[in-house]
Amino acid sequence: MTARLMRWTGLCAAVPLVLALTGCGGGDDGAKPSAAPPAASSPTPAGSTSADPDASEKTAVLASYTAMWTEQMKAYRKADAKGTDLERYVTAEALGQFRNDLDRMKQAGTVVRGDLAHDDTKVTAVDMDAQTPTATVQDCMDISKWQTYSTKKDQALPMPSAQPLRYVATATAEKWEDGWIITTFTPDGAQSC
């Protein structure tokens, strides 16, 4: 089992807490991420220089992280990854885990409704000197307007009573040839935000 697969297995155990879904299965080892999105850029006023030498990399990491969530929500809203670009933003192992979660959602007859908000999302560390450059993202997840909906029962399912509605989550990313790819996501329900 690779380190990435072990990290995503841990994520998969945490995803049900966030999504109120079922557990995890194995990854789809044949899946490969395609090109990451082009790096978003912030214009720098003429004649000025950025005080942060990693500013453009941080912007690119956040663009990949945001795009991953956008595509993940598209998939969870219909319990199907078809028509999404999720594979562009996550590792092959993670994509396999998402597909397994989506299969379980189909079997259970559930989809996600509502919105997942992200507050104060920021890159807290970048290591461009590593053999594979890495970055860490900290996010405040707000699931107060998120719900798991049973298409079989035609009703929203209640969240677990101990489910925090706002909590800190941390993601890690690696810069691959085609751009930044999200490799881990760890929610911390004990740390509110």
Side-chain angles (χ1 to χ4, degrees):
M1 180 179 287
T2 66
R4 276 198 194 120
L5 182 55
M6 288 190 306
R7 288 189 302 239
W8 274 105
T9 300
L11 161 64
C12 200
V15 168
L17 174 66
V18 178
L19 301 177
L21 300 175
T22 59
C24 296
D28 179 359
D29 294 333
K32 295 180 182 175
S34 60
S41 60
S42 302
T44 303
S48 70
T49 59
S50 173
D52 183 353
D54 295 323
S56 65
E57 295 297 341
K58 289 178 178 180
T59 299
V61 171
L62 288 176
S64 289
Y65 180 78
T66 300
M68 177 201 71
W69 273 109
T70 299
E71 297 305 309
Q72 187 175 342
M73 290 302 297
K74 285 180 193 176
Y76 285 148
R77 284 192 173 103
K78 58 185 181 174
D80 193 341
K82 290 179 186 164
T84 72
D85 289 326
L86 188 56
E87 71 277 356
R88 292 180 66 189
Y89 309 105
V90 297
T91 60
E93 294 89 355
L95 183 60
Q97 296 296 345
F98 288 134
R99 287 181 175 158
N100 287 335
D101 285 341
L102 293 169
D103 287 343
R104 284 185 190 81
M105 290 175 70
K106 280 183 190 176
Q107 291 172 3
T110 59
V111 294
V112 169
R113 289 192 173 173
D115 294 314
L116 174 66
H118 303 271
D119 295 327
D120 197 28
T121 306
K122 60 188 167 218
V123 176
T124 58
V126 175
D127 183 357
M128 295 304 294
D129 296 325
Q131 183 174 359
T132 301
T134 60
T136 304
V137 177
Q138 186 171 358
D139 194 1
C140 177
M141 310 291 289
D142 181 349
I143 60 171
S144 61
K145 295 179 182 172
W146 165 305
Q147 62 182 206
T148 300
Y149 187 83
S150 171
T151 57
K152 292 179 178 179
K153 296 179 182 179
D154 195 26
Q155 66 182 30
L157 301 176
M159 286 231 188
S161 59
Q163 174 67 56
L165 298 180
R166 290 177 58 89
Y167 53 89
V168 172
T170 304
T172 57
E174 292 180 352
K175 187 171 186 181
W176 292 8
E177 184 177 312
D178 293 331
W180 288 96
I181 301 293
I182 306 305
T183 57
T184 66
F185 175 80
T186 308
D188 182 355
Q191 189 176 355
S192 61
C193 55

